Structure formats: structure tokens, C-alpha cells
Amino acid sequence: GGIITQTPKFLIGQEGQKLTLKCQQNFNHDTMYWYRQDSGKGLRLIYYSITENDLQKGDLSEGYDASREKKSSFSLTVTSAQKNEMAVFLCASKQGRNNQAPLFGEGTRLSVL
Amino acid sequence: AQKVTQTQTSISVMEKTTVTMDCVYETQDSSYFLFWYKQTASGEIVFLIRQDSYKKENATVGHYSLNFQKPKSSIGLIITATQIEDSAVYFCAMREGDNYAQGLTFGLGTRVSVFP
């Protein structure tokens, strides 16, 4: 079996700071995703990538950048952290051309002071 | 645009009984895929079961089964013989069309509490 590893697990930032979250998967999956989950809410898609160096915007991409430099890794940057922002960022991946469900990492919990 | 709605915020059940939770979806596409996930107290998100829109049979995996009512755009999750460990938040999600890579649209979740 494989694993999706997100780093860091906890991230505390300052207002206006640029923050980067990383995700690595060893499933050899083609497609990777970043979702945001606010407290008590569902998951919302920020970015996804169907292959190395590909980026596709989700509904929530404003305020974020993403990078897929290798097939196994997908990073997300919060371009300017908002004061009092608290959310969990979840990375997921799936094999390319099928209808399998994406699998999720354990998340990065962000707090902005 | 696609939309997924879970109207039940929380459900409490006794252990070893059956729990049913609702999910309705909106889509303009004739082909779509419906998923249920479980989020545990630790935050871990686990895939449970999938229903493909073109399949008439309800999907079943272990003690999870689906009640797919296509004319009502409804995909209910049924958990039989519940255990304490089934206490979690359950999310319904959908992907439209034939873009395999497209992200899922999620509902807001239903919190299930199983009591001994």
C-alpha cells in the first residue's frame, strides 16, 4: 500500500505571510488535489493537477498558488495569510483514467495570528 | 453547476442498529459518480463506497450500502450493525461527466454518533 504525506501537520502563520504546504504520495498516482475544509464544513477544491507541471484551478483558487514539479509531489502556497484564518488543507490523489475515489492525506491545520 | 446537499446535521443511534443518512445532488450531466467518505475524530478521511450513475444496482461494501434513487437525485448511505467506531462525520460527494481527473463536490456532512 501507499501513503499520502502532508507537511507540516500544523502551521501557524502571521497575517500577510506567504505560507507553503507540501504533499507527497507514493501511490504513483497521476492526479493530485488540494482541498480546504473550514470548521464544520465540507471540502472545497482549490487546485488540482493531472500530471507533472500541470495545474487546474478549482472554485477556491483565489489567494493560492500551486506547483507540481514532480509526479509524486504537489505543493500549495497561501499567497497572503488572512488574520484569524483557521482551516484544514487536505491533499488527495488518484490514478488518472478511471473512476476510483481520490485518497486523502491527514491534512495540514493552519492558524493565522 | 453541480451541488450536493446533506440536510441532516447529526444523527444518534444505538450500537448494533441501522443508520440511514440522506444526500441529494444536482447535476445537468447524464453521467456522474457519487461517493461517500467518512471523517474520523482524528481528521482522517476514508473512502467508503461509490455509485456510478449508469448502474441500477445499489452498491454494497461490507456493512455499507447505498440507496440510489436516480429519479429523486438521491443517494442515501445505510450502515447496518453499527459499531462505536462508526461514530464519525460522513460526507457525500459527486463528480460529473467523463473528466476522470475533475475534483469532487462535497456536501457539508452528517455527524453520526453511535452509543453503547
Side-chain angles (χ1 to χ4, degrees), chain A residues 99-104, chain B residues 4-8 11 19-25 33-39 45-52 58-61 64-69 73-79 88-95 104-112:
Chain A
N99 295 312
Q100 289 181 4
L103 303 177
F104 282 83
Chain B
V4 175
T5 303
Q6 297 179 253
T7 55
Q8 299 154 300
I11 302 173
V19 62
T20 301
M21 60 200 91
D22 303 325
C23 174
V24 293
Y25 55 89
F33 302 86
L34 301 160
F35 304 83
W36 280 91
Y37 286 84
K38 164 184 177 179
Q39 186 171 35
I45 296 178
V46 178
F47 165 66
L48 298 176
I49 191 168
R50 182 185 99 210
Q51 179 77 39
D52 301 345
N58 290 319
T60 298
V61 174
Y64 303 105
S65 61
L66 297 178
N67 179 17
F68 181 40
Q69 299 185 58
S73 296
S74 170
I75 184 73
L77 174 68
I78 303 163
I79 308 175
V89 178
Y90 290 81
F91 289 100
C92 176
M94 177 173 67
R95 198 205 85 217
L104 305 184
T105 297
F106 284 80
L108 295 183
T110 296
R111 181 177 298 278
V112 172

Short mmCIF file of all heavy atoms in Angstrom, two decimals, chain A residues 99-104, chain B residues 4-8 11 19-25 33-39 45-52 58-61 64-69 73-79 88-95 104-112:
data_model
loop_
_atom_site.label_atom_id
_atom_site.label_comp_id
_atom_site.label_asym_id
_atom_site.label_seq_id
_atom_site.Cartn_x
_atom_site.Cartn_y
_atom_site.Cartn_z
N ASN A 99 -12.49 5.81 -12.55
CA ASN A 99 -13.44 6.47 -11.67
C ASN A 99 -13.21 6.17 -10.21
O ASN A 99 -14.11 6.31 -9.40
CB ASN A 99 -14.87 6.08 -12.09
CG ASN A 99 -15.20 6.59 -13.46
OD1 ASN A 99 -14.96 7.75 -13.77
ND2 ASN A 99 -15.72 5.71 -14.31
N GLN A 100 -12.01 5.76 -9.89
CA GLN A 100 -11.72 5.47 -8.48
C GLN A 100 -11.80 6.73 -7.65
O GLN A 100 -11.61 7.85 -8.14
CB GLN A 100 -10.32 4.85 -8.36
CG GLN A 100 -10.24 3.43 -8.90
CD GLN A 100 -8.85 2.84 -8.73
OE1 GLN A 100 -7.97 3.45 -8.16
NE2 GLN A 100 -8.68 1.63 -9.24
N ALA A 101 -12.06 6.53 -6.39
CA ALA A 101 -12.17 7.66 -5.47
C ALA A 101 -10.79 8.19 -5.12
O ALA A 101 -9.85 7.43 -4.91
CB ALA A 101 -12.88 7.22 -4.20
N PRO A 102 -10.64 9.50 -5.05
CA PRO A 102 -9.39 10.05 -4.54
C PRO A 102 -9.16 9.61 -3.09
O PRO A 102 -10.10 9.47 -2.32
CB PRO A 102 -9.62 11.57 -4.61
CG PRO A 102 -10.71 11.74 -5.59
CD PRO A 102 -11.58 10.53 -5.46
N LEU A 103 -7.88 9.42 -2.76
CA LEU A 103 -7.49 9.08 -1.39
C LEU A 103 -6.88 10.31 -0.75
O LEU A 103 -6.18 11.08 -1.42
CB LEU A 103 -6.49 7.92 -1.40
CG LEU A 103 -6.97 6.66 -2.11
CD1 LEU A 103 -5.87 5.62 -2.13
CD2 LEU A 103 -8.22 6.11 -1.44
N PHE A 104 -7.09 10.48 0.55
CA PHE A 104 -6.70 11.71 1.23
C PHE A 104 -5.54 11.53 2.19
O PHE A 104 -5.39 10.47 2.81
CB PHE A 104 -7.90 12.27 2.01
CG PHE A 104 -8.90 12.97 1.16
CD1 PHE A 104 -9.87 12.24 0.48
CD2 PHE A 104 -8.87 14.34 1.00
CE1 PHE A 104 -10.78 12.89 -0.34
CE2 PHE A 104 -9.78 15.00 0.20
CZ PHE A 104 -10.74 14.27 -0.48
N VAL B 4 -24.26 19.38 -3.97
CA VAL B 4 -24.53 18.21 -3.13
C VAL B 4 -25.07 18.72 -1.79
O VAL B 4 -24.44 19.58 -1.17
CB VAL B 4 -23.26 17.39 -2.92
CG1 VAL B 4 -23.51 16.25 -1.96
CG2 VAL B 4 -22.73 16.86 -4.26
N THR B 5 -26.20 18.18 -1.37
CA THR B 5 -26.85 18.65 -0.14
C THR B 5 -27.09 17.51 0.84
O THR B 5 -27.72 16.51 0.48
CB THR B 5 -28.19 19.33 -0.46
OG1 THR B 5 -27.97 20.40 -1.38
CG2 THR B 5 -28.82 19.90 0.81
N GLN B 6 -26.59 17.68 2.04
CA GLN B 6 -26.86 16.75 3.13
C GLN B 6 -27.61 17.54 4.18
O GLN B 6 -27.07 18.42 4.81
CB GLN B 6 -25.55 16.19 3.71
CG GLN B 6 -24.76 15.37 2.72
CD GLN B 6 -23.47 14.86 3.30
OE1 GLN B 6 -22.38 15.34 2.97
NE2 GLN B 6 -23.55 13.86 4.16
N THR B 7 -28.88 17.21 4.35
CA THR B 7 -29.73 18.03 5.22
C THR B 7 -29.62 17.66 6.70
O THR B 7 -29.88 18.48 7.56
CB THR B 7 -31.20 17.92 4.79
OG1 THR B 7 -31.56 16.54 4.78
CG2 THR B 7 -31.41 18.51 3.40
N GLN B 8 -29.23 16.43 6.98
CA GLN B 8 -29.12 16.00 8.38
C GLN B 8 -27.77 16.45 8.94
O GLN B 8 -26.74 16.03 8.47
CB GLN B 8 -29.25 14.48 8.48
CG GLN B 8 -30.58 13.95 7.99
CD GLN B 8 -30.43 12.51 7.53
OE1 GLN B 8 -29.67 12.22 6.62
NE2 GLN B 8 -31.16 11.60 8.15
N ILE B 11 -26.91 12.68 13.64
CA ILE B 11 -27.79 11.54 13.93
C ILE B 11 -27.16 10.77 15.08
O ILE B 11 -25.94 10.55 15.08
CB ILE B 11 -27.90 10.59 12.71
CG1 ILE B 11 -28.44 11.32 11.48
CG2 ILE B 11 -28.78 9.41 13.04
CD1 ILE B 11 -28.42 10.46 10.22
N VAL B 19 -28.30 2.76 10.68
CA VAL B 19 -28.44 4.21 10.49
C VAL B 19 -28.51 4.51 9.00
O VAL B 19 -27.81 3.88 8.20
CB VAL B 19 -27.28 4.99 11.17
CG1 VAL B 19 -25.93 4.63 10.57
CG2 VAL B 19 -27.53 6.48 11.12
N THR B 20 -29.37 5.44 8.66
CA THR B 20 -29.53 5.86 7.27
C THR B 20 -29.34 7.37 7.20
O THR B 20 -29.90 8.10 8.01
CB THR B 20 -30.93 5.52 6.74
OG1 THR B 20 -31.11 4.11 6.82
CG2 THR B 20 -31.08 5.95 5.29
N MET B 21 -28.54 7.83 6.24
CA MET B 21 -28.37 9.27 6.09
C MET B 21 -28.59 9.65 4.63
O MET B 21 -28.32 8.87 3.71
CB MET B 21 -27.01 9.73 6.61
CG MET B 21 -25.82 9.14 5.95
SD MET B 21 -24.36 9.31 7.00
CE MET B 21 -24.42 7.79 7.93
N ASP B 22 -29.09 10.87 4.45
CA ASP B 22 -29.56 11.31 3.15
C ASP B 22 -28.54 12.18 2.43
O ASP B 22 -27.73 12.86 3.06
CB ASP B 22 -30.86 12.13 3.31
CG ASP B 22 -31.95 11.35 4.02
OD1 ASP B 22 -32.02 10.12 3.80
OD2 ASP B 22 -32.71 11.96 4.77
N CYS B 23 -28.66 12.18 1.11
CA CYS B 23 -27.86 13.08 0.28
C CYS B 23 -28.62 13.30 -1.03
O CYS B 23 -29.04 12.32 -1.65
CB CYS B 23 -26.49 12.47 0.00
SG CYS B 23 -25.47 13.42 -1.16
N VAL B 24 -28.83 14.52 -1.41
CA VAL B 24 -29.40 14.81 -2.72
C VAL B 24 -28.41 15.64 -3.51
O VAL B 24 -27.61 16.39 -2.94
CB VAL B 24 -30.76 15.54 -2.62
CG1 VAL B 24 -31.80 14.64 -2.02
CG2 VAL B 24 -30.64 16.83 -1.85
N TYR B 25 -28.44 15.49 -4.81
CA TYR B 25 -27.46 16.15 -5.66
C TYR B 25 -28.16 16.81 -6.84
O TYR B 25 -29.29 16.46 -7.19
CB TYR B 25 -26.41 15.13 -6.14
CG TYR B 25 -27.01 13.93 -6.83
CD1 TYR B 25 -27.25 13.94 -8.20
CD2 TYR B 25 -27.37 12.80 -6.10
CE1 TYR B 25 -27.83 12.85 -8.82
CE2 TYR B 25 -27.96 11.71 -6.71
CZ TYR B 25 -28.19 11.75 -8.06
OH TYR B 25 -28.76 10.66 -8.68
N PHE B 33 -20.77 10.37 -10.88
CA PHE B 33 -20.29 9.37 -9.93
C PHE B 33 -20.45 9.93 -8.53
O PHE B 33 -20.09 11.08 -8.26
CB PHE B 33 -18.82 9.04 -10.23
CG PHE B 33 -18.64 8.55 -11.64
CD1 PHE B 33 -18.46 9.46 -12.68
CD2 PHE B 33 -18.70 7.21 -11.93
CE1 PHE B 33 -18.34 9.03 -13.99
CE2 PHE B 33 -18.57 6.76 -13.23
CZ PHE B 33 -18.40 7.68 -14.26
N LEU B 34 -20.98 9.11 -7.65
CA LEU B 34 -21.31 9.53 -6.29
C LEU B 34 -20.46 8.75 -5.31
O LEU B 34 -20.27 7.54 -5.46
CB LEU B 34 -22.80 9.30 -6.02
CG LEU B 34 -23.71 10.04 -7.00
CD1 LEU B 34 -25.09 9.42 -7.01
CD2 LEU B 34 -23.78 11.52 -6.63
N PHE B 35 -19.94 9.45 -4.31
CA PHE B 35 -19.01 8.85 -3.35
C PHE B 35 -19.45 9.18 -1.94
O PHE B 35 -20.01 10.25 -1.67
CB PHE B 35 -17.60 9.43 -3.54
CG PHE B 35 -17.03 9.28 -4.93
CD1 PHE B 35 -17.37 10.18 -5.93
CD2 PHE B 35 -16.16 8.25 -5.23
CE1 PHE B 35 -16.84 10.05 -7.21
CE2 PHE B 35 -15.63 8.11 -6.51
CZ PHE B 35 -15.97 9.02 -7.50
N TRP B 36 -19.14 8.27 -1.03
CA TRP B 36 -19.30 8.54 0.40
C TRP B 36 -17.95 8.34 1.08
O TRP B 36 -17.24 7.35 0.83
CB TRP B 36 -20.33 7.61 1.04
CG TRP B 36 -21.74 8.03 0.80
CD1 TRP B 36 -22.55 7.66 -0.22
CD2 TRP B 36 -22.53 8.90 1.62
NE1 TRP B 36 -23.78 8.25 -0.11
CE2 TRP B 36 -23.80 9.01 1.03
CE3 TRP B 36 -22.28 9.61 2.81
CZ2 TRP B 36 -24.83 9.78 1.57
CZ3 TRP B 36 -23.29 10.38 3.34
CH2 TRP B 36 -24.54 10.46 2.74
N TYR B 37 -17.63 9.33 1.93
CA TYR B 37 -16.42 9.28 2.73
C TYR B 37 -16.78 9.43 4.20
O TYR B 37 -17.83 9.99 4.55
CB TYR B 37 -15.48 10.45 2.38
CG TYR B 37 -14.76 10.37 1.07
CD1 TYR B 37 -15.36 10.77 -0.12
CD2 TYR B 37 -13.44 9.92 1.01
CE1 TYR B 37 -14.67 10.72 -1.33
CE2 TYR B 37 -12.74 9.87 -0.18
CZ TYR B 37 -13.37 10.28 -1.35
OH TYR B 37 -12.68 10.23 -2.53
N LYS B 38 -15.88 8.99 5.04
CA LYS B 38 -16.03 9.09 6.49
C LYS B 38 -14.84 9.88 7.02
O LYS B 38 -13.69 9.61 6.63
CB LYS B 38 -16.03 7.68 7.06
CG LYS B 38 -15.81 7.53 8.54
CD LYS B 38 -15.75 6.04 8.87
CE LYS B 38 -15.45 5.80 10.32
NZ LYS B 38 -15.41 4.35 10.64
N GLN B 39 -15.11 10.87 7.89
CA GLN B 39 -14.02 11.61 8.54
C GLN B 39 -14.06 11.30 10.03
O GLN B 39 -15.03 11.62 10.73
CB GLN B 39 -14.13 13.11 8.29
CG GLN B 39 -12.93 13.88 8.84
CD GLN B 39 -12.93 15.34 8.40
OE1 GLN B 39 -13.97 15.98 8.26
NE2 GLN B 39 -11.75 15.89 8.17
N ILE B 45 -9.72 11.11 6.58
CA ILE B 45 -10.82 10.95 5.63
C ILE B 45 -10.63 9.64 4.89
O ILE B 45 -9.60 9.42 4.25
CB ILE B 45 -10.88 12.13 4.65
CG1 ILE B 45 -11.17 13.42 5.39
CG2 ILE B 45 -11.95 11.88 3.57
CD1 ILE B 45 -11.22 14.66 4.53
N VAL B 46 -11.66 8.79 4.99
CA VAL B 46 -11.58 7.44 4.44
C VAL B 46 -12.69 7.25 3.41
O VAL B 46 -13.86 7.54 3.69
CB VAL B 46 -11.74 6.39 5.57
CG1 VAL B 46 -11.71 4.99 5.01
CG2 VAL B 46 -10.67 6.58 6.64
N PHE B 47 -12.34 6.76 2.24
CA PHE B 47 -13.33 6.46 1.21
C PHE B 47 -14.10 5.20 1.61
O PHE B 47 -13.51 4.21 2.05
CB PHE B 47 -12.66 6.26 -0.14
CG PHE B 47 -13.54 5.59 -1.15
CD1 PHE B 47 -14.66 6.24 -1.63
CD2 PHE B 47 -13.26 4.32 -1.61
CE1 PHE B 47 -15.50 5.63 -2.55
CE2 PHE B 47 -14.08 3.69 -2.54
CZ PHE B 47 -15.21 4.34 -3.00
N LEU B 48 -15.43 5.23 1.45
CA LEU B 48 -16.26 4.10 1.83
C LEU B 48 -16.83 3.35 0.63
O LEU B 48 -16.70 2.13 0.53
CB LEU B 48 -17.43 4.58 2.70
CG LEU B 48 -17.07 5.24 4.04
CD1 LEU B 48 -18.33 5.73 4.71
CD2 LEU B 48 -16.29 4.30 4.93
N ILE B 49 -17.51 4.07 -0.27
CA ILE B 49 -18.32 3.38 -1.27
C ILE B 49 -18.65 4.35 -2.40
O ILE B 49 -18.71 5.57 -2.18
CB ILE B 49 -19.61 2.82 -0.59
CG1 ILE B 49 -20.36 1.87 -1.50
CG2 ILE B 49 -20.49 3.95 -0.07
CD1 ILE B 49 -21.46 1.08 -0.76
N ARG B 50 -18.87 3.81 -3.60
CA ARG B 50 -19.13 4.63 -4.79
C ARG B 50 -20.32 4.06 -5.55
O ARG B 50 -20.51 2.84 -5.60
CB ARG B 50 -17.91 4.59 -5.70
CG ARG B 50 -18.03 5.42 -6.96
CD ARG B 50 -16.80 5.20 -7.85
NE ARG B 50 -17.06 4.25 -8.91
CZ ARG B 50 -16.15 3.46 -9.45
NH1 ARG B 50 -14.93 3.46 -8.98
NH2 ARG B 50 -16.47 2.66 -10.43
N GLN B 51 -21.11 4.96 -6.15
CA GLN B 51 -22.21 4.57 -7.03
C GLN B 51 -22.04 5.26 -8.37
O GLN B 51 -21.91 6.50 -8.41
CB GLN B 51 -23.57 4.97 -6.43
CG GLN B 51 -24.77 4.61 -7.28
CD GLN B 51 -25.14 3.14 -7.19
OE1 GLN B 51 -25.06 2.52 -6.14
NE2 GLN B 51 -25.55 2.56 -8.31
N ASP B 52 -22.04 4.51 -9.46
CA ASP B 52 -21.97 5.08 -10.79
C ASP B 52 -23.38 5.31 -11.30
O ASP B 52 -24.24 4.43 -11.16
CB ASP B 52 -21.22 4.14 -11.73
CG ASP B 52 -19.81 3.86 -11.25
OD1 ASP B 52 -19.32 4.59 -10.36
OD2 ASP B 52 -19.19 2.91 -11.75
N ASN B 58 -27.80 -1.05 -6.41
CA ASN B 58 -27.22 -0.29 -5.32
C ASN B 58 -25.88 -0.89 -4.90
O ASN B 58 -25.78 -2.10 -4.71
CB ASN B 58 -28.16 -0.29 -4.10
CG ASN B 58 -29.40 0.52 -4.36
OD1 ASN B 58 -29.34 1.60 -4.95
ND2 ASN B 58 -30.54 0.03 -3.91
N ALA B 59 -24.88 -0.04 -4.75
CA ALA B 59 -23.56 -0.53 -4.35
C ALA B 59 -23.58 -0.97 -2.88
O ALA B 59 -24.30 -0.39 -2.05
CB ALA B 59 -22.52 0.57 -4.53
N THR B 60 -22.79 -2.00 -2.59
CA THR B 60 -22.65 -2.51 -1.22
C THR B 60 -21.20 -2.87 -0.99
O THR B 60 -20.56 -3.49 -1.84
CB THR B 60 -23.52 -3.77 -1.03
OG1 THR B 60 -24.89 -3.43 -1.21
CG2 THR B 60 -23.35 -4.33 0.38
N VAL B 61 -20.68 -2.43 0.16
CA VAL B 61 -19.32 -2.79 0.57
C VAL B 61 -19.35 -3.05 2.07
O VAL B 61 -19.59 -2.12 2.86
CB VAL B 61 -18.31 -1.67 0.27
CG1 VAL B 61 -16.94 -2.03 0.84
CG2 VAL B 61 -18.22 -1.39 -1.22
N TYR B 64 -21.70 -1.26 4.63
CA TYR B 64 -22.18 -0.04 4.00
C TYR B 64 -22.96 -0.39 2.73
O TYR B 64 -22.50 -1.21 1.93
CB TYR B 64 -21.02 0.87 3.59
CG TYR B 64 -20.11 1.26 4.72
CD1 TYR B 64 -18.85 0.68 4.86
CD2 TYR B 64 -20.49 2.22 5.64
CE1 TYR B 64 -18.00 1.04 5.90
CE2 TYR B 64 -19.65 2.59 6.68
CZ TYR B 64 -18.42 1.98 6.80
OH TYR B 64 -17.58 2.34 7.83
N SER B 65 -24.10 0.23 2.54
CA SER B 65 -24.83 0.07 1.29
C SER B 65 -25.46 1.40 0.92
O SER B 65 -25.58 2.31 1.76
CB SER B 65 -25.88 -1.03 1.39
OG SER B 65 -26.82 -0.70 2.40
N LEU B 66 -25.82 1.51 -0.35
CA LEU B 66 -26.40 2.75 -0.85
C LEU B 66 -27.83 2.53 -1.28
O LEU B 66 -28.21 1.44 -1.72
CB LEU B 66 -25.57 3.27 -2.03
CG LEU B 66 -24.13 3.65 -1.69
CD1 LEU B 66 -23.39 4.11 -2.95
CD2 LEU B 66 -24.09 4.74 -0.64
N ASN B 67 -28.62 3.58 -1.16
CA ASN B 67 -29.99 3.60 -1.66
C ASN B 67 -30.03 4.66 -2.76
O ASN B 67 -30.19 5.85 -2.50
CB ASN B 67 -30.96 3.94 -0.54
CG ASN B 67 -32.40 3.99 -1.04
OD1 ASN B 67 -32.72 3.48 -2.11
ND2 ASN B 67 -33.27 4.61 -0.26
N PHE B 68 -29.81 4.22 -4.00
CA PHE B 68 -29.70 5.13 -5.14
C PHE B 68 -31.07 5.28 -5.77
O PHE B 68 -31.62 4.33 -6.33
CB PHE B 68 -28.70 4.57 -6.14
CG PHE B 68 -28.46 5.43 -7.36
CD1 PHE B 68 -28.38 6.80 -7.27
CD2 PHE B 68 -28.28 4.82 -8.60
CE1 PHE B 68 -28.14 7.58 -8.39
CE2 PHE B 68 -28.03 5.59 -9.73
CZ PHE B 68 -27.96 6.97 -9.63
N GLN B 69 -31.62 6.48 -5.68
CA GLN B 69 -32.91 6.77 -6.28
C GLN B 69 -32.69 7.87 -7.33
O GLN B 69 -32.82 9.06 -7.04
CB GLN B 69 -33.92 7.22 -5.22
CG GLN B 69 -34.18 6.15 -4.16
CD GLN B 69 -35.26 6.57 -3.19
OE1 GLN B 69 -36.40 6.86 -3.58
NE2 GLN B 69 -34.90 6.62 -1.91
N SER B 73 -32.78 12.10 -7.60
CA SER B 73 -31.42 12.62 -7.43
C SER B 73 -30.96 12.43 -5.98
O SER B 73 -30.47 13.36 -5.32
CB SER B 73 -31.35 14.10 -7.81
OG SER B 73 -31.64 14.27 -9.17
N SER B 74 -31.13 11.22 -5.50
CA SER B 74 -30.87 10.92 -4.09
C SER B 74 -29.93 9.72 -3.97
O SER B 74 -30.06 8.73 -4.70
CB SER B 74 -32.19 10.64 -3.38
OG SER B 74 -31.98 10.13 -2.10
N ILE B 75 -28.98 9.80 -3.04
CA ILE B 75 -28.04 8.71 -2.79
C ILE B 75 -27.85 8.58 -1.28
O ILE B 75 -26.96 9.20 -0.70
CB ILE B 75 -26.71 8.91 -3.55
CG1 ILE B 75 -25.78 7.72 -3.35
CG2 ILE B 75 -26.04 10.22 -3.17
CD1 ILE B 75 -26.21 6.49 -4.12
N GLY B 76 -28.67 7.76 -0.65
CA GLY B 76 -28.59 7.59 0.79
C GLY B 76 -27.55 6.55 1.16
O GLY B 76 -27.33 5.59 0.43
N LEU B 77 -26.92 6.74 2.32
CA LEU B 77 -25.95 5.76 2.85
C LEU B 77 -26.61 5.03 4.01
O LEU B 77 -27.19 5.66 4.90
CB LEU B 77 -24.68 6.46 3.33
CG LEU B 77 -23.65 5.56 4.04
CD1 LEU B 77 -23.04 4.56 3.05
CD2 LEU B 77 -22.54 6.40 4.68
N ILE B 78 -26.50 3.71 3.99
CA ILE B 78 -27.06 2.87 5.06
C ILE B 78 -25.91 2.11 5.71
O ILE B 78 -25.12 1.47 5.02
CB ILE B 78 -28.08 1.86 4.48
CG1 ILE B 78 -29.18 2.61 3.74
CG2 ILE B 78 -28.66 1.00 5.58
CD1 ILE B 78 -30.00 1.74 2.81
N ILE B 79 -25.83 2.21 7.03
CA ILE B 79 -24.82 1.45 7.76
C ILE B 79 -25.58 0.49 8.67
O ILE B 79 -26.36 0.90 9.53
CB ILE B 79 -23.92 2.35 8.63
CG1 ILE B 79 -23.32 3.49 7.79
CG2 ILE B 79 -22.80 1.53 9.26
CD1 ILE B 79 -22.51 4.49 8.61
N ALA B 88 -18.56 9.20 13.42
CA ALA B 88 -17.72 9.99 12.51
C ALA B 88 -18.62 10.99 11.78
O ALA B 88 -19.85 11.00 11.97
CB ALA B 88 -17.04 9.08 11.49
N VAL B 89 -18.00 11.81 10.95
CA VAL B 89 -18.77 12.67 10.04
C VAL B 89 -18.72 12.01 8.66
O VAL B 89 -17.64 11.63 8.19
CB VAL B 89 -18.19 14.09 9.98
CG1 VAL B 89 -18.98 14.93 8.98
CG2 VAL B 89 -18.20 14.73 11.36
N TYR B 90 -19.88 11.89 8.04
CA TYR B 90 -19.99 11.23 6.76
C TYR B 90 -20.29 12.26 5.67
O TYR B 90 -21.23 13.05 5.79
CB TYR B 90 -21.09 10.16 6.80
CG TYR B 90 -20.68 8.99 7.66
CD1 TYR B 90 -20.81 9.04 9.04
CD2 TYR B 90 -20.11 7.85 7.09
CE1 TYR B 90 -20.40 8.00 9.84
CE2 TYR B 90 -19.70 6.79 7.88
CZ TYR B 90 -19.84 6.88 9.25
OH TYR B 90 -19.43 5.83 10.04
N PHE B 91 -19.46 12.24 4.63
CA PHE B 91 -19.59 13.18 3.53
C PHE B 91 -20.03 12.46 2.26
O PHE B 91 -19.47 11.43 1.88
CB PHE B 91 -18.26 13.89 3.25
CG PHE B 91 -17.86 14.87 4.31
CD1 PHE B 91 -16.93 14.52 5.28
CD2 PHE B 91 -18.40 16.14 4.34
CE1 PHE B 91 -16.54 15.42 6.26
CE2 PHE B 91 -18.02 17.05 5.31
CZ PHE B 91 -17.09 16.68 6.28
N CYS B 92 -20.98 13.06 1.59
CA CYS B 92 -21.41 12.65 0.26
C CYS B 92 -20.69 13.55 -0.74
O CYS B 92 -20.48 14.76 -0.48
CB CYS B 92 -22.92 12.85 0.19
SG CYS B 92 -23.69 12.50 -1.38
N ALA B 93 -20.28 13.01 -1.87
CA ALA B 93 -19.55 13.80 -2.87
C ALA B 93 -19.92 13.32 -4.27
O ALA B 93 -20.35 12.19 -4.46
CB ALA B 93 -18.04 13.70 -2.64
N MET B 94 -19.72 14.19 -5.24
CA MET B 94 -20.09 13.86 -6.62
C MET B 94 -19.04 14.36 -7.60
O MET B 94 -18.42 15.42 -7.38
CB MET B 94 -21.43 14.52 -6.96
CG MET B 94 -21.88 14.31 -8.40
SD MET B 94 -23.53 14.90 -8.73
CE MET B 94 -23.30 16.64 -8.54
N ARG B 95 -18.87 13.62 -8.68
CA ARG B 95 -18.08 14.06 -9.82
C ARG B 95 -18.93 13.89 -11.06
O ARG B 95 -19.51 12.84 -11.28
CB ARG B 95 -16.79 13.25 -9.96
CG ARG B 95 -15.74 13.91 -10.80
CD ARG B 95 -14.79 12.93 -11.41
NE ARG B 95 -15.32 12.39 -12.65
CZ ARG B 95 -15.16 11.14 -13.05
NH1 ARG B 95 -14.50 10.28 -12.31
NH2 ARG B 95 -15.66 10.74 -14.19
N LEU B 104 -13.96 16.45 -6.77
CA LEU B 104 -15.28 16.14 -6.27
C LEU B 104 -15.92 17.37 -5.64
O LEU B 104 -15.24 18.24 -5.10
CB LEU B 104 -15.21 15.04 -5.22
CG LEU B 104 -14.52 13.73 -5.60
CD1 LEU B 104 -14.62 12.71 -4.49
CD2 LEU B 104 -15.08 13.18 -6.90
N THR B 105 -17.26 17.43 -5.71
CA THR B 105 -18.03 18.44 -4.98
C THR B 105 -18.62 17.74 -3.76
O THR B 105 -19.27 16.69 -3.89
CB THR B 105 -19.15 19.01 -5.85
OG1 THR B 105 -18.57 19.67 -6.96
CG2 THR B 105 -20.00 19.99 -5.06
N PHE B 106 -18.38 18.30 -2.59
CA PHE B 106 -18.78 17.68 -1.32
C PHE B 106 -19.99 18.35 -0.71
O PHE B 106 -20.19 19.57 -0.85
CB PHE B 106 -17.62 17.76 -0.31
CG PHE B 106 -16.53 16.77 -0.55
CD1 PHE B 106 -15.56 17.00 -1.52
CD2 PHE B 106 -16.46 15.59 0.18
CE1 PHE B 106 -14.55 16.09 -1.75
CE2 PHE B 106 -15.44 14.67 -0.03
CZ PHE B 106 -14.48 14.93 -1.00
N GLY B 107 -20.79 17.55 0.03
CA GLY B 107 -21.80 18.10 0.92
C GLY B 107 -21.16 18.56 2.22
O GLY B 107 -19.94 18.43 2.40
N LEU B 108 -21.98 19.08 3.12
CA LEU B 108 -21.46 19.62 4.38
C LEU B 108 -21.26 18.55 5.45
O LEU B 108 -20.66 18.83 6.48
CB LEU B 108 -22.40 20.70 4.91
CG LEU B 108 -22.51 21.95 4.04
CD1 LEU B 108 -23.40 22.97 4.72
CD2 LEU B 108 -21.15 22.55 3.73
N GLY B 109 -21.75 17.35 5.21
CA GLY B 109 -21.51 16.27 6.14
C GLY B 109 -22.64 16.04 7.13
O GLY B 109 -23.40 16.96 7.46
N THR B 110 -22.72 14.78 7.60
CA THR B 110 -23.66 14.38 8.65
C THR B 110 -22.85 13.72 9.76
O THR B 110 -22.13 12.75 9.50
CB THR B 110 -24.70 13.38 8.13
OG1 THR B 110 -25.50 14.01 7.13
CG2 THR B 110 -25.59 12.89 9.26
N ARG B 111 -22.97 14.24 10.98
CA ARG B 111 -22.24 13.65 12.12
C ARG B 111 -23.06 12.51 12.70
O ARG B 111 -24.22 12.72 13.08
CB ARG B 111 -21.97 14.71 13.19
CG ARG B 111 -21.20 14.15 14.39
CD ARG B 111 -20.88 15.24 15.39
NE ARG B 111 -20.04 16.27 14.80
CZ ARG B 111 -18.72 16.18 14.67
NH1 ARG B 111 -18.08 15.09 15.11
NH2 ARG B 111 -18.03 17.16 14.13
N VAL B 112 -22.48 11.34 12.76
CA VAL B 112 -23.14 10.16 13.33
C VAL B 112 -22.48 9.82 14.65
O VAL B 112 -21.25 9.70 14.73
CB VAL B 112 -23.07 8.96 12.37
CG1 VAL B 112 -23.58 7.69 13.05
CG2 VAL B 112 -23.86 9.25 11.10
#
